Amino acid sequence: MTVLLVPLSLPLAAEPGNRTLTISLFTAVVAVTLYITWWASRQNKTAADYYAGGRSFSGAQNGLAVAGDYMSAASFLGISGQIALYGYDGFLYSIGFLVAWLVALLLVAELLRNSGRFTMADQLAFRMKQKPVRTAAATSTIVVSIFYLLAQMVGAGSLVGLLLGVKSEGLKAAVIVLVGALMIVYVTIGGMRGTTWVQIVKAVLLMAGTVVITFLVLLKFNFNISDLLGSAASKSGKGESFLQPGLLYGKDLTGQIDFLSLGLALVLGTAGLPHILIRFYTVPDSRSARRSVQWAIGLIGVFYLMTLALGFGAAALLDTAKGSAVETSKGNVASPLLAEAVGGGADSTGGAILLALIAAVAFATILAVVAGLTLTSASSFAHDLYANVISKQKPTEKQELRVARFAAIGIGAVAIGLAIPAQKLNIAFLVALAFAVAASANLPALLFNLFWKRFNTSGAVWSIYGGLISAVVLVVFSPVVSGNGDKSMITGSDFHWFPLSNPGIVSIPLGFLFGVVGTYLGRDKSSEDRYSELSVRALTGAGAEGATKH
């Protein structure tokens, strides 16, 4: 997931002789993905094609795409970097993301596929009043997606700048604009079908690249995990404490609560992420949705286990001391530098080739994820806000799709505009906020709607807005934004009063609490009348195609 991405400005860059190789690989990746998008666009004829890929993907195909959506560049770059710097504490991200899929499988995947059509709001609006619920759900979806987009696009500028030796903020801004333009092309032309195939290709590339690096790292230590961990602990300079909890968040009570808060957000946030939820609508039936998650769990499980080798391998083989390239980047160049090291070193052809390959894979990862996020936001705006709230007359599918494409352009422009001035900022808080919003606002509303008969429109609106606002407020007044020296987004000022960096332990219960309070304060009884019908749809899939046509 995108948890640890920060802008990079480091002495590492591809040597002039290797830049041709790097640029060639980048160009090949872009060319392949553009061809896939063009090919897919020829098959887009209806709203179901554009929003849900015609519901034509198998469980295995969608599982690959879900894994591709989930294994973002920050998972590949950021998690391995956290492990390289903080050992045991860094591995929490891998465990949290993997366990989160069990929540998605057991509580969300099959039921959501059966009871909705194109967006998360469809499931809520089935038995609620359309306008307030769709407005709240679309607002939450767009907020989460834009924070993710911002993180990915700044990461793209940083990654390309790192490999090509670009240090000028203006040139990095040009890279961000290029990524944004590609993202808009993917979404407006290819829709969900094109985006899904791009994510499938990206998932295969990322898994292959990670397998190669993991194999070479283990080969360095004769496939002896104990030697790898021992060497990592010794080289880190922290000894046995490197393999024990406490380095990242500390061992005091506040640190332990913060650690727990992060884990809670990671585990529960996934089941509420809109760009993951929308993927369950691309399969023909609930069995395929369930199989998608099973495939995704397998692929993601293997991937995050391999981050152990990447992270501890980086700690064992690279310089991670204060002032090093790895430490200065908050760990985000650990995987590329590790690829170079196991390929033969900085001056070797093998190291240059492997570094360029891994950079190209990471770039493909960013392209795929930003396309999925933009499509999610554009679909929610067109289908939820325009078609069901703004438009006084029910628009035709052609009109709705036109609005979706214009929305993709607008959302892409907003993301580009925000990402350019954010190049110098630590943007980990943006992604943490996205997880907190997903877990605090989206998940309580989805679960209450599925399992609580009395839940009503007022409860849904209170839950979504309450979770959204509480998560945002707590992060703004936390040490992430101010009060923690150069580790905060704003240095030189201190207006924080919330002691934790991760708001989930407070904002997630608040999201559920607001849902309960809003439900009992509301007087809408019509939602109870349709609860039985929603339950039948969710459990059996009967009539799912018409779930929002009432």
Side-chain angles (χ1 to χ4, degrees), residues 277-490:
L277 296 176
I278 199 174
R279 295 231 53 89
F280 297 135
Y281 296 129
T282 65
V283 292
D285 50 48
S286 59
R287 181 182 180 188
S288 298
R290 189 166 59 250
R291 185 164 293 179
S292 296
V293 181
Q294 291 169 346
W295 269 88
I297 288 174
L299 292 167
I300 292 168
V302 172
F303 173 79
Y304 284 125
L305 283 176
M306 288 191 291
T307 60
L308 265 176
L310 299 183
F312 286 111
L317 299 173
L318 302 176
D319 180 12
T320 58
K322 188 172 181 60
S324 66
V326 175
E327 192 274 336
T328 305
S329 71
K330 309 300 182 188
N332 287 312
V333 297
S335 289
L337 285 174
L338 180 63
E340 184 180 56
V342 297
D347 299 323
S348 68
T349 302
I353 291 174
L354 199 52
L355 175 62
L357 283 170
I358 293 306
V361 169
F363 192 64
T365 295
I366 290 170
L367 291 177
V369 173
V370 296
L373 289 164
T374 307
L375 179 63
T376 301
S377 301
S379 299
S380 189
F381 181 87
H383 183 65
D384 296 324
L385 287 181
Y386 174 73
N388 291 282
V389 177
I390 297 173
S391 180
K392 294 183 179 179
Q393 294 182 343
K394 187 67 177 177
T396 64
E397 282 193 353
K398 188 174 181 181
Q399 291 172 327
E400 188 176 321
L401 292 179
R402 187 184 301 118
V403 170
R405 291 187 170 98
F406 279 114
I409 295 172
I411 290 166
V414 169
I416 292 170
L418 291 173
I420 290 174
Q423 292 180 78
K424 294 181 179 180
L425 302 179
N426 183 311
I427 59 175
F429 87 97
L430 296 173
V431 181
L433 178 58
F435 264 90
V437 170
S440 306
N442 297 343
L443 185 61
L446 288 171
L447 294 183
F448 279 148
N449 194 46
L450 284 168
F451 299 112
W452 187 17
K453 184 176 181 178
R454 184 164 179 173
F455 191 57
N456 54 28
T457 302
S458 176
V461 172
W462 275 58
S463 178
I464 293 173
Y465 285 132
L468 171 65
I469 293 170
S470 62
V472 171
V473 168
L474 290 177
V475 169
V476 167
F477 293 101
S478 76
V480 174
V481 176
S482 72
N484 197 22
D486 58 1
K487 294 182 180 179
S488 295
M489 175 186 171
I490 300 175

Side-chain angles (χ1 to χ4, degrees), residues 82-112:
Q82 284 293 83
I83 296 173
L85 293 175
Y86 302 108
Y88 180 96
D89 279 9
F91 191 52
L92 172 68
Y93 288 94
S94 297
I95 297 298
F97 290 149
L98 179 57
V99 173
W101 274 105
L102 297 178
V103 178
L105 173 62
L106 295 173
L107 297 179
V108 174
E110 182 178 352
L111 302 179
L112 188 70

Side-chain angles (χ1 to χ4, degrees), residues 45-270:
K45 295 181 174 120
T46 67
D49 290 331
Y50 186 83
Y51 290 138
R55 308 189 197 281
S56 59
F57 290 95
S58 68
Q61 289 171 335
N62 195 50
L64 269 171
V66 169
D69 235 348
Y70 201 67
M71 298 183 302
S72 70
S75 291
F76 180 61
L77 302 176
I79 292 177
S80 59
Q82 284 293 83
I83 296 173
L85 293 175
Y86 302 108
Y88 180 96
D89 279 9
F91 191 52
L92 172 68
Y93 288 94
S94 297
I95 297 298
F97 290 149
L98 179 57
V99 173
W101 274 105
L102 297 178
V103 178
L105 173 62
L106 295 173
L107 297 179
V108 174
E110 182 178 352
L111 302 179
L112 188 70
R113 167 61 186 82
N114 287 344
S115 55
R117 291 181 70 219
F118 299 137
T119 66
M120 179 187 74
D122 284 339
Q123 191 255 27
L124 294 172
F126 177 75
R127 69 184 187 104
M128 307 292 178
K129 292 180 181 177
Q130 295 278 312
K131 290 187 178 182
V133 168
R134 285 190 183 277
T135 302
T139 300
S140 176
T141 294
I142 292 171
V143 168
V144 174
S145 299
I146 284 181
F147 279 118
Y148 263 106
L149 279 172
L150 184 56
Q152 294 289 333
M153 292 174 69
V154 172
S158 301
L159 181 68
V160 176
L162 173 70
L163 268 294
L164 301 186
V166 173
K167 297 182 179 179
S168 164
E169 298 298 330
L171 290 176
K172 288 183 181 180
V175 172
I176 289 173
V177 173
L178 172 62
V179 173
L182 285 170
M183 165 184 73
I184 292 169
V185 169
Y186 291 150
V187 175
T188 56
I189 296 178
M192 178 58 84
R193 196 187 301 271
T195 300
T196 298
W197 280 112
V198 168
Q199 286 162 339
I200 289 171
V201 170
K202 164 257 172 153
V204 172
L205 290 174
L206 184 59
M207 287 295 291
T210 308
V211 166
V212 169
I213 301 177
T214 299
F215 175 81
L216 293 175
V217 167
L218 293 177
L219 186 63
K220 288 273 187 183
F221 294 92
N222 298 315
F223 297 92
N224 189 317
I225 302 295
S226 180
D227 285 352
L228 169 61
L229 296 177
S231 179
S234 175
K235 185 78 179 290
S236 71
K238 302 177 179 72
E240 286 300 314
S241 64
F242 189 70
L243 305 178
Q244 299 172 1
L247 284 181
L248 181 57
Y249 290 102
K251 296 184 178 181
D252 60 2
L253 182 60
T254 301
Q256 292 174 353
I257 294 174
D258 210 359
F259 194 66
L260 176 62
S261 185
L262 172 63
L264 191 64
L266 295 181
V267 170
L268 297 180
T270 299

